Amino acid sequence: MMKMTRPNLRRNLTPVLLLLFTVFFKAMVVDIRGNQTSYIHGAIKLNLTGNQPRPQPTRLKYPLRNTTTINTTDTTDTTDTTDNDVAYNENGSVSGGHWEYIAEVHVPYNFSYQVCMDTHIHQADCNKTVSCAEDLMNWRYYGNDNKPYQRFDVDGFRTRMRNRRIIFVGDSTARQQVEALIWTLGHDKVDWEVSERPRRLTGGNCPTRRFCMIDELSNIKICYQHMGTMAAKMYLDGNYTLVHSSRIDGDTSCLLYDSTIGEFSKFDLVFVQGVVWWAGLPKVLNSTTSPFEWVAGIVPIIYKDAMGALLSKLSQRTKTILVLGQVGTSCRNKTAPEQYSLDDIPDLYNWNLAPRMWNALLGVIDESALDVQVIDAREPVMQSVHAHPSSLNDCLHFCMNSAAVNIYLDIYWNEVFSQYEHSGHLKE
């Protein structure tokens, strides 16, 4: 056997190395957007740097991040969300405000466990509040003008909303607002009218029902409808697939059906709020075909597509309000409010995905010029780390005997309800 010398070895290996380099180069595409580098192997897009830009810790102004571009079943075009600044209510008295403890304060209602049991939509809101401190109503919110933020006006609400129909569509945080509203109106017993669950087009019942009651003094119909997560399409990315309907118990995509939108159009005002259920999708849908990290990367896209479709359909038919509210916080052993920053949102249950979802949806509203009013309640509610039933390890829901849950109603009064004339028409 001929012994191969070092020059001969190099000469014989050169073609092989060139061939391997060519194959490797064709299989790998480098895509650079800003500081983010992605490698596409086959059709699967993998983020190898892990250097996702963090949102700035400003209170009410959130820059849109670059989102992952993926292929979908209904289009061959892919677009990137460019960096933009989208801000709402930046000059309103809610932004830049703070809470102060007031020893003697007028409260909208005195929480009663018995009244809660006679009026609740979900019993957990009653049971958890029993563990809460008793003075949570003593906190008063002051706006950026250092003046007490104007409280919800019961008589004004009844006068301006007389004969109107109002529905709150969202998760359990929206449900708590409806319960607080009926107590503020003085109701101590409610026999809710509960709708049937809608039928899915694919068969079976959709896990959402509508709870309605009438405030007889003003003939105002007040309703709540549960919204879990939705998807407007199926998402494909190489060997990865996200079929949202596999989340049987949490899939409320039936809310996007024309028949459901038709029901919503019967209401004069539709409040929409929800983000935390989407944050849980990576864990719920985690599988070999939809792994955790991949789902987490596209959650903002799923949220934007589904919520954008819902808001677009609703806003063409009725007055539509998008509410930006609370996500989970770090609330253990907290006895007073704290200043709020996006950096403070914990990664528990992937709550820290919320800013990316908000940014993506606000971008759609802005770019598509949707006729949607945006209510930004994040500052006062996210400061309220002290107002959760933390002893029960719940840092998402509010204690029902707190000013924190009622600040939503205050904001709705100032930014929505008070804008109507006594006749029920919007002021010019």
Side-chain angles (χ1 to χ4, degrees):
M1 180 181 295
M2 182 181 68
K3 183 177 182 180
M4 186 173 293
T5 62
R6 190 173 299 276
N8 287 334
L9 177 62
R10 184 183 299 115
R11 187 164 43 251
N12 283 275
L13 286 177
T14 298
V16 176
L17 293 173
L18 288 173
L19 177 61
L20 290 173
F21 178 80
T22 301
V23 172
F24 181 76
F25 181 80
K26 289 183 178 180
M28 183 176 68
V29 180
V30 180
D31 178 23
I32 301 177
R33 297 183 178 91
N35 296 322
Q36 180 177 343
T37 304
S38 302
Y39 293 81
I40 304 174
H41 188 275
I44 305 174
K45 190 164 188 177
L46 307 172
N47 180 7
L48 300 184
T49 64
N51 294 324
Q52 293 288 344
R54 301 191 71 181
Q56 297 299 312
T58 52
R59 291 192 174 90
L60 295 175
K61 196 169 185 178
Y62 302 99
L64 292 174
R65 304 187 190 187
N66 287 331
T67 58
T68 307
T69 300
I70 64 174
N71 297 321
T72 59
T73 55
D74 62 347
T75 179
T76 56
D77 295 330
T78 55
T79 57
D80 289 326
T81 302
T82 56
D83 287 338
N84 291 296
D85 285 337
V86 181
Y88 293 92
N89 304 331
E90 201 167 29
N91 299 317
S93 62
V94 172
S95 64
H98 65 279
W99 291 92
E100 291 187 13
Y101 188 87
I102 310 296
E104 299 292 333
V105 64
H106 173 73
V107 298
Y109 56 82
N110 289 302
F111 175 81
S112 161
Y113 182 78
Q114 186 58 54
V115 169
C116 186
M117 292 298 292
D118 289 338
T119 56
H120 69 77
I121 299 175
H122 199 294
Q123 184 174 337
D125 296 328
C126 308
N127 295 340
K128 290 183 178 182
T129 300
V130 174
S131 68
C132 297
E134 296 181 355
D135 62 348
L136 295 177
M137 283 286 192
N138 288 85
W139 291 94
R140 186 73 189 273
Y141 192 74
Y142 284 69
N144 55 24
D145 53 4
N146 286 320
K147 296 179 180 179
Y149 191 70
Q150 186 174 352
R151 289 284 185 79
F152 179 85
D153 185 335
V154 173
D155 293 335
F157 172 77
R158 283 191 164 120
T159 299
R160 288 170 167 79
M161 292 292 104
R162 183 175 300 277
N163 300 321
R164 314 293 281 189
R165 292 149 297 183
I166 307 169
I167 186 169
F168 295 79
V169 181
D171 54 33
S172 50
T173 61
R175 179 191 72 218
Q176 289 193 315
Q177 297 163 37
V178 175
E179 292 170 336
L181 174 58
I182 63 172
W183 298 340
T184 300
L185 295 175
H187 295 278
D188 56 12
K189 189 175 290 292
V190 174
D191 184 15
W192 293 97
E193 177 187 342
V194 184
S195 70
E196 297 292 330
R197 299 182 189 273
R199 293 286 296 176
R200 287 196 178 101
L201 296 179
T202 55
N205 291 327
C206 188
T208 178
R209 291 183 297 174
R210 186 178 305 130
F211 293 76
C212 293
M213 60 88 66
I214 301 291
D215 179 63
E216 294 182 354
L217 291 179
S218 56
N219 194 36
I220 303 174
K221 186 173 186 177
I222 301 172
C223 299
Y224 163 74
Q225 179 138 10
H226 168 69
M227 178 178 67
T229 56
M230 305 178 294
K233 61 191 73 173
M234 184 170 68
Y235 296 85
L236 303 175
D237 187 3
N239 294 328
Y240 296 161
T241 305
L242 190 147
V243 182
H244 184 267
S245 58
S246 62
R247 185 184 185 180
I248 298 175
D249 292 336
D251 178 23
T252 56
S253 299
C254 61
L255 298 181
L256 299 173
Y257 294 171
D258 289 342
S259 57
T260 310
I261 297 297
E263 289 296 315
F264 288 145
S265 67
K266 297 176 183 178
F267 289 86
D268 300 288
L269 294 93
V270 180
F271 290 79
V272 181
Q273 178 181 353
V275 70
V276 291
W277 277 58
W278 272 273
L281 281 180
K283 181 178 180 180
V284 173
L285 298 179
N286 184 32
S287 68
T288 55
T289 57
S290 56
F292 184 98
E293 293 297 333
W294 179 72
V295 177
I298 66 171
V299 160
I301 300 175
I302 302 170
Y303 181 77
K304 175 197 68 175
D305 291 344
M307 289 288 284
L310 178 66
L311 295 177
S312 177
K313 292 179 178 182
L314 288 176
S315 61
Q316 295 177 48
R317 295 166 173 82
T318 189
K319 172 69 175 178
T320 304
I321 301 101
L322 172 68
V323 180
L324 308 180
Q326 81 227 54
V327 294
T329 62
S330 298
C331 72
R332 294 289 293 176
N333 301 318
K334 301 295 178 66
T335 59
E338 296 179 354
Q339 285 300 307
Y340 156 62
S341 166
L342 285 177
D343 293 333
D344 297 330
I345 299 177
D347 59 5
L348 184 66
Y349 304 114
N350 301 306
W351 286 332
N352 57 338
L353 289 175
R356 294 176 59 195
M357 289 187 270
W358 285 325
N359 291 341
L361 183 57
L362 293 178
V364 169
I365 293 173
D366 186 58
E367 294 163 10
S368 302
L370 298 184
D371 187 15
V372 174
Q373 181 178 355
V374 178
I375 299 295
D376 198 335
R378 289 174 290 190
E379 185 120 25
V381 297
M382 292 298 288
Q383 287 183 17
S384 301
V385 294
H386 65 297
H388 301 282
S390 61
S391 63
L392 301 178
N393 296 317
D394 187 345
C395 291
L396 171 64
H397 300 97
F398 282 130
C399 298
M400 294 304 299
N401 63 338
S402 71
V405 69
N406 284 274
I407 191 67
Y408 280 110
L409 305 183
D410 299 340
I411 296 173
Y412 298 160
W413 165 252
N414 287 290
E415 299 195 22
V416 181
F417 303 135
S418 66
Q419 303 307 306
Y420 284 77
E421 301 282 3
H422 287 243
S423 62
H425 297 290
L426 275 170
K427 298 177 181 177
E428 295 295 335

